[in-house]
Amino acid sequence: MRRWIMHVDMDAFFASVEQLDHPEYKGHPVIVGGLSARGVVATASYEARKFGVHSAMPISRARKLCPHGIYVYPRFDRYKEISNIIHKVMEEFTPIIEPLSLDEAFLDVTGITHKFEGPVALGRAIKNRVFAETGLIISAGLAPNKFLAKLASDLEKPDGLVVIPYGKEQDMLAELPIKRIWGVGPRTEQRLKDGGFALMKDIQVLPDESKLIPYVGNQARRIWELARGIDERPVEVNRQIQSIGNEETYEEDVVDPAVIDVELHYFANRVAKRLRKRNLMGHTVAIKVRYNDFKTVTRQKHLDSATDNERLIYDTSVLLWNKLMNEHKGKTDRNANRIQMRTSANRNESSTSETMGAAPIPTFDTSILAMPLKPLRLLGVTVSGLTADGLVQDDLFTAPIDESSSKLATVLDSLESKFGESAIMNGALWQRSHGLIGDRRKRSELKAAVDASADDNSHQCSELQSTLDTSTSDNSHQCSELQSTLDTSASDNSH
């Protein structure tokens, strides 16, 4: 039986939803994204794209290109609602669905094309059902594999429907530029062009990948196969999350190490909580730094044991930060590279908040944060190499972590879910919230919305916050309720 894969992509999804909910927007350029000076475009309607506006463009640039456009802040709850409806429509046709994002997915429709008058009729049927249920238009591509299906869905947007039939794979690809191959970015594209490979047909004539190796190394086989239309990857129903991270673009460039330190605390806190929410741990911690000249650098460190530990994520982030700064300064910070595992005695002296998690916690010299080389525009922390088994490698030289610390983390997560993230904070997060370290940096509006959407907790934060904003007597009452909850939770965990 021949395999048929379908790729579904909503056309300008966020902007289309806004035009759907606001009929007066139809026919006008709509730009969805952060509305602050350093916001970015999340989606632009096709009317806006005529003026050169596109996703990931700085909002300031978009306003210059399209000053008369309708600029809208994203409503992720609404987009999720529509995305779920579309997903249910897809399930009417096949249970084998691999969501890629809110607005696109792969479907394995092998074996059901015979129920229609071929792949084109099947694609049209799904497009019609989505429109009937949501009033939105999708583009779809059907092909023998995922690479070709995604490529096909992009060929005739908007409202496209393209089928790449068996036996025509190489013909469809031949005249396309090599940058259409997954994983071929600007640098790889230039290396391939230097080798005489500008179009896919230039690669198709090769008998094997050997002539590509000098230019792309171990990626040669994959690129050679994709250029020939070969892709054996299955549609993954339970697609594993690859990484969890938080990053932020700042309204003002950051230069103060004290502010950077608070930000690393904040990112470690958010990432650790998102890991615990999904019952995941990670082996690799990475930082991302973008300077005010838009140069972006990353550094990462592999940990011996997977962790969801806030303190360990923070300490590793500081280690990477100092290492990165000293690399460029031409110096070696021995303290930043020296890792000493805590002894049992030291662990007993440490506060409970420093021992949350499941992995042994190394001590880094984080007393001094290196000065940034240049003002920062963006900073972020990510944990990857995720695992759900929760297994932790034993360490012969350290005492095991008290299980009560991880239970406390669970209690604190529960309290934040009920009362809001401002209910209980460590010192660094409290300073960040109240702007006591340097000038308070306003979080970019779009990233704030993305974080809130990812954590799914924003709707639970009003109960405590509204009380904290009222009178002192009301605050006292709420604090009593919070303390009671904490005592009860701690008592439950002790059992």
Side-chain angles (χ1 to χ4, degrees), residues 343-385:
T343 63
S344 177
N346 287 340
R347 189 179 303 279
N348 291 334
E349 294 174 2
S350 301
S351 65
T352 304
S353 63
E354 294 180 347
T355 58
M356 289 184 190
I361 303 179
T363 298
F364 302 109
D365 181 3
T366 58
S367 58
I368 299 177
L369 204 68
M371 285 288 295
L373 301 176
K374 292 175 285 188
L376 303 187
R377 179 183 178 89
L378 176 147
L379 185 64
V381 173
T382 299
V383 172
S384 59

Side-chain angles (χ1 to χ4, degrees), residues 178 181-182 184 187-230:
I178 55 173
I181 298 175
W182 280 347
V184 175
R187 291 184 180 179
T188 303
E189 179 187 13
Q190 188 57 53
R191 288 198 297 268
L192 287 168
K193 285 183 175 180
D194 291 343
F197 308 105
L199 302 176
M200 294 202 197
K201 66 181 181 181
D202 299 327
I203 297 177
Q204 291 175 357
V205 298
L206 300 177
D208 55 43
E209 74 278 13
S210 58
K211 290 188 177 181
L212 297 176
I213 294 176
Y215 305 100
V216 294
N218 59 10
Q219 297 297 313
R221 182 70 183 181
R222 180 184 64 83
I223 291 175
W224 180 78
E225 288 182 343
L226 291 179
R228 298 171 65 86
I230 301 171

Side-chain angles (χ1 to χ4, degrees), residues 357-422:
I361 303 179
T363 298
F364 302 109
D365 181 3
T366 58
S367 58
I368 299 177
L369 204 68
M371 285 288 295
L373 301 176
K374 292 175 285 188
L376 303 187
R377 179 183 178 89
L378 176 147
L379 185 64
V381 173
T382 299
V383 172
S384 59
L386 304 183
T387 178
D389 56 24
L391 295 177
V392 178
Q393 178 180 337
D394 291 333
D395 190 290
L396 299 177
F397 304 102
T398 58
I401 291 179
D402 187 349
E403 291 185 2
S404 64
S405 62
S406 60
K407 290 181 178 179
L408 177 58
T410 302
V411 172
L412 297 179
D413 291 345
S414 177
L415 287 171
E416 178 176 313
S417 176
K418 182 176 181 181
F419 294 106
E421 63 180 24
S422 61

Side-chain angles (χ1 to χ4, degrees), residues 50-255:
K50 294 177 181 178
F51 295 91
V53 180
H54 57 78
S55 300
M57 171 182 286
I59 206 77
S60 57
R61 174 65 175 162
R63 290 186 184 277
K64 292 178 180 179
L65 293 173
C66 189
H68 59 288
I70 300 171
Y71 290 82
V72 182
Y73 192 76
R75 300 180 296 147
F76 288 100
D77 288 342
R78 176 59 172 156
Y79 307 151
K80 281 186 176 181
E81 178 185 354
I82 296 293
S83 179
N84 290 336
I85 294 173
I86 296 170
H87 190 89
K88 291 185 183 299
V89 170
M90 294 176 185
E91 289 178 337
E92 296 175 6
F93 294 85
T94 176
I96 309 176
I97 302 170
E98 179 182 337
L100 300 178
S101 62
L102 288 177
D103 62 343
E104 64 175 321
F106 283 114
L107 291 73
D108 189 330
V109 293
T110 303
I112 68 171
T113 55
H114 69 277
K115 298 180 181 179
F116 303 84
E117 295 180 359
V120 174
L122 170 61
R124 180 60 60 189
I126 294 179
K127 284 168 62 69
N128 290 342
R129 283 288 295 124
V130 170
F131 183 79
E133 290 295 322
T134 67
L136 297 175
I137 295 173
I138 67 173
S139 288
L142 286 96
N145 57 55
K146 292 169 73 173
F147 170 60
L148 293 173
K150 183 171 175 61
L151 188 69
S153 70
D154 195 46
L155 291 178
E156 295 184 4
K157 283 187 174 184
D159 197 18
L161 175 57
V162 176
V163 175
I164 298 180
Y166 275 82
K168 296 295 183 180
E169 298 94 335
Q170 292 193 35
D171 293 341
M172 293 287 290
L173 295 173
E175 298 298 328
L176 296 179
I178 55 173
K179 66 181 181 181
R180 299 299 294 268
I181 298 175
W182 280 347
V184 175
R187 291 184 180 179
T188 303
E189 179 187 13
Q190 188 57 53
R191 288 198 297 268
L192 287 168
K193 285 183 175 180
D194 291 343
F197 308 105
L199 302 176
M200 294 202 197
K201 66 181 181 181
D202 299 327
I203 297 177
Q204 291 175 357
V205 298
L206 300 177
D208 55 43
E209 74 278 13
S210 58
K211 290 188 177 181
L212 297 176
I213 294 176
Y215 305 100
V216 294
N218 59 10
Q219 297 297 313
R221 182 70 183 181
R222 180 184 64 83
I223 291 175
W224 180 78
E225 288 182 343
L226 291 179
R228 298 171 65 86
I230 301 171
D231 180 12
E232 301 299 331
R233 294 171 304 150
V235 173
E236 301 177 58
V237 178
N238 298 313
R239 196 163 179 244
Q240 177 66 47
I241 298 174
Q242 300 300 312
S243 64
I244 289 178
N246 281 74
E247 64 181 39
E248 185 157 337
T249 300
Y250 298 99
E251 292 299 309
E252 304 172 18
D253 293 338
V254 179
V255 295

Side-chain angles (χ1 to χ4, degrees), residues 14-15 17-18 22 25 30-36 39-40 42-43 59 63 70-79 251 442-453:
F14 296 171
V17 173
E18 298 302 332
H22 302 276
Y25 292 174
V30 175
I31 298 94
V32 180
L35 305 184
S36 63
V40 296
T43 306
I59 206 77
R63 290 186 184 277
I70 300 171
Y71 290 82
V72 182
Y73 192 76
R75 300 180 296 147
F76 288 100
D77 288 342
R78 176 59 172 156
Y79 307 151
E251 292 299 309
K442 180 182 177 183
R443 303 188 64 212
S444 68
E445 294 164 322
L446 181 55
K447 286 302 298 177
V450 172
D451 292 346
S453 173

